[in-house]
Amino acid sequence: MTDTPFVIAGRTFTSRLIVGTGKYSSNAVMAQAHQASGADMVTVAVRRVNISDRTRESLLDYIDTSRMFILPNTAGCYTADEAIRTARLGREAGLSEWVKLEVIGDERTLFPDNEALIEATRVLVKEGFIVLPYTNDDPIACRKLEDAGAAAVMPLGAPIGSGLGIQNVNNIRIIREFSRVPLIVDAGVGTASDAALAMELGADGVLMNTAIAGAEDPVAMADAMRHAVIAGRLAARAGRIPKKMYASASSPVEGMVGR
Amino acid sequence: MTDTPFVIAGRTFTSRLIVGTGKYSSNAVMAQAHQASGADMVTVAVRRVNISDRTRESLLDYIDTSRMFILPNTAGCYTADEAIRTARLGREAGLSEWVKLEVIGDERTLFPDNEALIEATRVLVKEGFIVLPYTNDDPIACRKLEDAGAAAVMPLGAPIGSGLGIQNVNNIRIIREFSRVPLIVDAGVGTASDAALAMELGADGVLMNTAIAGAEDPVAMADAMRHAVIAGRLAARAGRIPKKMYASASSPVEGMVGR
Amino acid sequence: MTDTPFVIAGRTFTSRLIVGTGKYSSNAVMAQAHQASGADMVTVAVRRVNISDRTRESLLDYIDTSRMFILPNTAGCYTADEAIRTARLGREAGLSEWVKLEVIGDERTLFPDNEALIEATRVLVKEGFIVLPYTNDDPIACRKLEDAGAAAVMPLGAPIGSGLGIQNVNNIRIIREFSRVPLIVDAGVGTASDAALAMELGADGVLMNTAIAGAEDPVAMADAMRHAVIAGRLAARAGRIPKKMYASASSPVEGMVGR
Amino acid sequence: MTDTPFVIAGRTFTSRLIVGTGKYSSNAVMAQAHQASGADMVTVAVRRVNISDRTRESLLDYIDTSRMFILPNTAGCYTADEAIRTARLGREAGLSEWVKLEVIGDERTLFPDNEALIEATRVLVKEGFIVLPYTNDDPIACRKLEDAGAAAVMPLGAPIGSGLGIQNVNNIRIIREFSRVPLIVDAGVGTASDAALAMELGADGVLMNTAIAGAEDPVAMADAMRHAVIAGRLAARAGRIPKKMYASASSPVEGMVGR
Amino acid sequence: MQITLNGERVELEEPMSVTALLARLEIDPRRVAVEHNLNIIKRHRFAEVVVGDGDTVEIVNFVGGG
Amino acid sequence: MQITLNGERVELEEPMSVTALLARLEIDPRRVAVEHNLNIIKRHRFAEVVVGDGDTVEIVNFVGGG
Amino acid sequence: MQITLNGERVELEEPMSVTALLARLEIDPRRVAVEHNLNIIKRHRFAEVVVGDGDTVEIVNFVGGG
Amino acid sequence: MQITLNGERVELEEPMSVTALLARLEIDPRRVAVEHNLNIIKRHRFAEVVVGDGDTVEIVNFVGGG
């Protein structure tokens, strides 16, 4: 059974795992983790250059841009205007039209402000951006983002960095059923089984940062996530057995000795 | 991070996934699924030869015994005596001392009769068998099996063939903590994330049959399980992030444009 | 420990359970279920009078309005305008300013259209309505509804009539923490333990219809829900024991005979 | 719908909640909590009289034995012999044949040693005891206890005092289905919804100590548990609505204004 | 003359007050709300408001809902 | 003489009945159970059963438990 | 003569070795285990062990199982 | 003269092109985006756009994020 390719806005990716670049103990560790993850898309943040610090090495020195596609985000933006401005700057810095759009509604949960997110999506799509919005697991918001021209919908599984795993499997399933664009579970994954579950629910991809960067051994966890996403995708397509309350023997019940 | 080898009774296995040979639509499909699973140990049942049917092809013709270790089971036995007798026959047929010991207590749940299981374990260990007992998720029963000389403990995650996934994660965790022999989750796995979770809880291996053989595409599911077990094992050792109720930003909070 | 009264917009209710009037096999059964529920607020829908059918008895003949407060809803409305219009008609029919505001975003999930819901809330609050909006478990949407003047926030536990129970306990907990107005879990409850859990998570009340009306014995289930809401409220305030992975003896470990 | 009475070994109890007497901050608080719980059976431990301390007030001074039935336990016993000896002493001290039989297999989990438990049950039943054995959620062990003459089976929901709630709902459901004697969930309950769930799964009663005695406000929690057990029992018999993935409207879809 | 009543065409001989219309329909005025050409009519004005040819009238009441 | 009472060595001047022993310990006989050299003593026999030198006595009662 | 083979009555002309019996049944001796009157017969003894009238024989092999 | 650079006051002797400014700051122009008085400056125009007294300049690049 060969899988359908993972295509977003006409671009094909070899891996359904998208990883971040934040919170690593060092850029060297990050580079190894990226390698182990098998990802070919990484998210980055757009921030002011540190004027005072000349020596500061560039993040990009540690990303193999020949293999990795760079996805700038608008993390930390609390209004549509801020997010739009940041997206435009990201485009100049990266010379690509793609943006992971975040409009945060609250700093403790980092949950999205869907109203502002939809508005920002409309504006940026008109400007030719390929918009991948980070949203919550609200099927109605996802549909509106799709109608606004989003290239994918990226509902959270749980709060960013919480590692709680997917809190509402039913909503993810419903969003998958309703969406005609790729569904990427963004945020909330804590360990491999969470990522596998996301894919089993029908996600086309999973985006994570803290689960890998924050692990005691980020490289091993990146490898774990690579396998988990492959496993979950395969299982989703293999047609799992139905759940039953009772047992069903896996060995024959006839031919027992001495009966 | 290199993993410790998976060793049972002094024998090293390359895969932590152990698969069955029952319920496949055909032996050919089984062979492909085994290949995809990466397993190097398979379980088989011991049954009367069908005298009337001359043509009946042998299961072993479809198992690459150069790569696969054969683990005979005592499935279908409801008393210690039956299980002991079947184990002895299995040894003659397979010329190995290993047995997956099952003493079933009830035909609807196929839950083990731990009392009889412990008794049978004592007898067979004395006869030089390498006993891998299928039990339930009872830490006390597992400790007694270990004391009786079991080479591993194999608690169920859920009823055989139910596909419910691990019903009691706390017990599996506790059994792992208490056991000095390998812990193999045997039965109940339904899909890839279940297998990954089993490993994350500390299992040294996972044994399954129906989840693969009963899937719409057994070969794809076998491949999924192979990845899932690797993923779960890596994650268990990588040191996952703690769970938190709230979010923690993965992008810097300083350096925002225009602030 | 005496509880604080359950007050919404200055009005005190004796019961924290709010029940519906739809889907009952008969008005007589509904009246008995209302009695058993102990509720003193019921929701009703606003619909066209059936002109052709003269005989049609009035719902209100079966509601003890001396005890029950009537809360008209805007169920079935898919736009802010429709909901506003229906709310205004409901006010005339019921001669109260209160409305359970629903703006549905999709007919299969009946999930709210938060964007339109917030807009309708702003308009109706300006017109002097006491607005109780049915929303989803999005803390940001709930905060905006509160800012728009909603008298309470009513997040769903699961899709209306699904009986799935609370799908995202973490979000309900967070909403409770963020809200300064009463939090009422509206929709998704299937059985008593779901209602108790909702209260334990900090909800000030629970609103349900199908779980009672759709039960085989609606009167018994109404009684169950009455007890469950009281139980959950008491437990929420009693300060439950922390969860622990291991046991702690409830009987003394000293003074054993023969030691 | 009137409920069937709660009968164990021919004795009828008015409450399906059975409470303990351990770990209270004071006997006075215990007495109030017992009152609030509505229970008419309490468990007590059998321990050596403290010879040195003359002043020590008697537990029984704080139990209304006219209303409360006393159930001595064998908590802390690690062998069948110890448990049998303690049961006999309890009978003399209490002048009743009833015993809550515990044979502990491990001090960290306080899980039962089912092998020894079944053995002790056989002995005590022969001596005329009414045996209520504390066991784990193993349907086979429960059946053997029943066959040995136990008057009820009392599987744990989770480790004693852990407050984790019911870890394996499927097993409790199965045990209920298999047992012809009352099923009492003993241990593991943490809060009201746990107790309600236990009853919804088909339990005939719930036994708890730490959840009440260890709460910040034991009297309020006892009241909560009283309501929760009633709620769960009513719900179990009322016939809950089926779970569905999608919504079903509780208000009519016809008669909308302006359509 | 013809009016649109709750979405349906209805024939009336002549213009009449909301009160008269409700009486004709045998509807208890105390339990309904009436919208006349998109304007809600307060109950105390039922007697004076006249429904004429081509008018649109909505008459609603409470039904079971959740 | 010496007996083992609830696991502890206790000195007694002379053999005495269980009743006497309980009285001496100020323990209400109605709320305890007594084991004498591993035999449980029915309450009605407290007066006749004599505790002698080297005997082992267990006196138990009910305490708080779950 | 008659034997019980895998639970069924089977007629044989005369006593024969396990090896002969397996050959007669066209069963490859390398892949089965044989129990004769409740005793397991090691493979190297198939030739010498004789199955006689009234004996009970079980011949088992491996089949698919979990 | 003075400009506001990434939110901080910075002294410059004289007006200069974005290219010159970046050179002065030792910043590789290929890896940053520049906003001049709220207008984004395309990279090919760095040489011609002049930063003068009172101007606001934002210079951003990519940093680790999720």
Side-chain angles (χ1 to χ4, degrees), chain H residues 6-36:
Chain H
N6 285 1
E8 288 161 31
R9 289 283 152 81
V10 174
E11 284 297 328
L12 293 183
E13 306 67 32
E14 55 185 359
M16 59 179 66
S17 70
V18 170
T19 304
L21 179 62
L22 292 175
R24 191 170 184 286
L25 296 168
E26 294 172 24
I27 293 171
D28 178 344
R30 291 164 307 171
R31 287 185 168 177
V32 298
V34 178
E35 193 188 69
H36 177 234

Side-chain angles (χ1 to χ4, degrees), chain B residues 44-64:
Chain B
V44 298
V46 177
R47 292 290 182 271
R48 283 169 166 164
V49 171
N50 183 342
I51 303 299
S52 46
D53 163 21
R54 289 277 182 287
T55 66
R56 205 290 224 55
E57 58 190 3
S58 166
L59 175 73
L60 295 182
D61 296 335
Y62 291 84
I63 299 174
D64 174 359

Side-chain angles (χ1 to χ4, degrees), chain C residues 51, chain E residues 3-10 21 25 55 57-59:
Chain C
I51 302 301
Chain E
I3 66 169
T4 304
L5 177 58
N6 285 0
E8 288 163 31
R9 288 283 153 79
V10 174
L21 178 62
L25 297 168
D55 287 359
V57 177
E58 294 276 357
I59 306 174

Side-chain angles (χ1 to χ4, degrees), chain C residues 84 101 116-126 131 133 145 148-150:
Chain C
I84 291 165
L101 186 63
L117 181 68
I118 293 163
E119 177 193 339
T121 300
R122 289 199 188 96
V123 171
L124 291 170
V125 166
K126 283 200 186 62
V131 180
L145 288 164

Side-chain angles (χ1 to χ4, degrees), chain A residues 41-234:
Chain A
M41 173 154 47
V42 295
T43 56
V44 298
V46 177
R47 292 291 182 273
R48 282 167 166 168
V49 171
N50 183 341
I51 302 301
S52 45
D53 163 23
R54 290 277 183 284
T55 67
R56 217 266 230 71
E57 59 190 2
S58 167
L59 174 73
L60 295 182
D61 297 334
Y62 291 84
I63 299 174
D64 173 0
T65 49
S66 69
R67 197 169 64 80
M68 290 287 193
F69 182 75
I70 306 284
L71 180 66
N73 70 30
T74 62
C77 296
Y78 282 79
T79 66
D81 288 348
E82 247 189 325
I84 291 165
R85 183 182 181 185
T86 303
R88 289 169 180 159
L89 282 164
R91 171 162 59 179
E92 291 312 308
L95 306 171
S96 115
E97 312 289 329
W98 293 52
V99 62
K100 174 187 168 183
L101 186 63
E102 296 187 34
V103 185
I104 302 304
D106 158 74
E107 68 182 356
R108 277 179 67 204
T109 61
L110 297 180
F111 279 146
D113 179 336
N114 284 326
E115 223 178 347
L117 181 67
I118 293 162
E119 177 193 337
T121 299
R122 290 198 187 97
V123 172
L124 290 171
V125 166
K126 283 200 186 59
E127 294 183 14
F129 277 88
I130 306 298
V131 179
L132 285 66
Y134 154 77
T135 181
N136 63 350
D137 58 11
D138 176 354
I140 308 304
C142 287
R143 194 198 62 219
K144 290 185 174 197
L145 288 164
E146 189 177 329
D147 295 343
V153 289
M154 306 207 298
L156 53 81
I160 292 171
S162 69
L164 288 173
I166 296 175
Q167 296 296 289
N168 191 331
V169 297
N170 198 33
N171 277 8
I172 298 296
R173 214 184 261 119
I174 288 171
I175 292 169
R176 171 60 291 170
E177 199 172 326
F178 285 14
S179 302
R180 295 174 306 277
V181 294
L183 161 57
I184 296 163
V185 170
D186 177 5
V189 165
T191 185
S193 54
D194 298 335
L197 175 59
M199 298 304 291
E200 288 164 357
L201 292 173
D204 299 283
V206 179
L207 193 163
M208 66 183 70
N209 184 80
T210 306
I212 293 174
E216 287 172 26
D217 183 337
V219 180
M221 189 58 88
D223 194 10
M225 293 299 184
R226 175 174 67 84
H227 283 288
V229 167
I230 293 169
R233 176 66 178 180
L234 281 163

Side-chain angles (χ1 to χ4, degrees), chain B residues 170 173-174 177-178 245-246, chain C residues 170 173-174 177 245-246:
Chain B
N170 197 35
R173 215 184 260 118
I174 288 171
E177 201 172 324
F178 284 15
M245 183 173 164
Y246 297 105
Chain C
N170 198 33
R173 215 184 259 120
I174 287 171
E177 202 173 324
M245 183 172 165
Y246 296 106

Side-chain angles (χ1 to χ4, degrees), chain C residues 101-183:
Chain C
L101 186 63
E102 297 186 35
V103 185
I104 302 304
D106 159 74
E107 69 182 354
R108 276 179 67 203
T109 61
L110 298 178
F111 280 146
D113 179 336
N114 284 325
E115 221 178 348
L117 181 68
I118 293 163
E119 177 193 339
T121 300
R122 289 199 188 96
V123 171
L124 291 170
V125 166
K126 283 200 186 62
E127 294 182 13
F129 278 88
I130 307 297
V131 180
L132 285 65
Y134 154 77
T135 181
N136 64 349
D137 58 11
D138 176 354
I140 309 302
C142 287
R143 194 198 62 218
K144 291 186 175 196
L145 288 164
E146 189 177 329
D147 295 343
V153 288
M154 306 208 297
L156 53 81
I160 291 171
S162 69
L164 289 173
I166 296 176
Q167 296 296 288
N168 191 332
V169 297
N170 198 33
N171 277 8
I172 297 296
R173 215 184 259 120
I174 287 171
I175 292 168
R176 170 61 291 170
E177 202 173 324
F178 284 15
S179 303
R180 295 173 306 277
V181 294
L183 161 57

Side-chain angles (χ1 to χ4, degrees), chain B:
Chain B
M1 185 185 64
T2 60
D3 197 354
T4 56
F6 180 37
V7 179
I8 305 174
R11 184 184 186 97
T12 302
F13 296 90
T14 59
S15 171
R16 291 173 178 276
L17 174 60
I18 305 167
V19 298
T21 56
K23 293 172 135 183
Y24 281 94
S25 55
S26 77
N27 284 332
V29 169
M30 178 190 76
Q32 291 175 59
H34 284 176
Q35 183 68 32
S37 74
D40 50 359
M41 174 155 44
V42 295
T43 56
V44 298
V46 177
R47 292 290 182 271
R48 283 169 166 164
V49 171
N50 183 342
I51 303 299
S52 46
D53 163 21
R54 289 277 182 287
T55 66
R56 205 290 224 55
E57 58 190 3
S58 166
L59 175 73
L60 295 182
D61 296 335
Y62 291 84
I63 299 174
D64 174 359
T65 49
S66 68
R67 196 168 64 79
M68 289 288 192
F69 182 75
I70 305 285
L71 181 66
N73 70 30
T74 62
C77 297
Y78 282 79
T79 65
D81 288 347
E82 250 190 322
I84 291 164
R85 183 181 181 185
T86 303
R88 290 169 179 158
L89 283 165
R91 172 163 57 179
E92 291 313 308
L95 305 171
S96 114
E97 311 289 329
W98 293 52
V99 62
K100 175 187 169 184
L101 186 63
E102 296 186 35
V103 184
I104 302 302
D106 159 73
E107 68 181 356
R108 277 178 66 203
T109 61
L110 297 179
F111 280 146
D113 178 336
N114 284 325
E115 225 177 347
L117 181 67
I118 293 162
E119 179 192 337
T121 299
R122 289 199 188 96
V123 171
L124 291 170
V125 166
K126 282 198 188 60
E127 295 184 12
F129 278 89
I130 306 297
V131 180
L132 285 65
Y134 153 77
T135 181
N136 65 349
D137 58 11
D138 176 353
I140 308 303
C142 287
R143 193 198 62 219
K144 291 186 175 198
L145 288 165
E146 189 177 330
D147 294 344
V153 289
M154 307 208 295
L156 53 82
I160 292 170
S162 69
L164 288 173
I166 295 175
Q167 295 297 288
N168 192 332
V169 296
N170 197 35
N171 277 9
I172 297 295
R173 215 184 260 118
I174 288 171
I175 292 169
R176 170 61 292 170
E177 201 172 324
F178 284 15
S179 303
R180 294 173 308 278
V181 295
L183 160 57
I184 297 163
V185 170
D186 177 5
V189 164
T191 185
S193 54
D194 298 335
L197 175 59
M199 298 303 292
E200 288 163 358
L201 293 173
D204 299 283
V206 179
L207 193 163
M208 67 181 72
N209 184 78
T210 307
I212 292 174
E216 288 173 26
D217 183 337
V219 180
M221 188 58 88
D223 194 10
M225 292 301 184
R226 176 173 66 85
H227 283 288
V229 168
I230 293 169
R233 176 67 178 179
L234 281 164
R237 296 166 53 80
R240 62 156 293 156
I241 55 173
K243 294 185 179 187
K244 304 184 316 171
M245 183 173 164
Y246 297 105
S248 82
S250 45
S251 301
V253 290
E254 298 79 31
M256 297 298 297
V257 170
R259 294 217 179 131

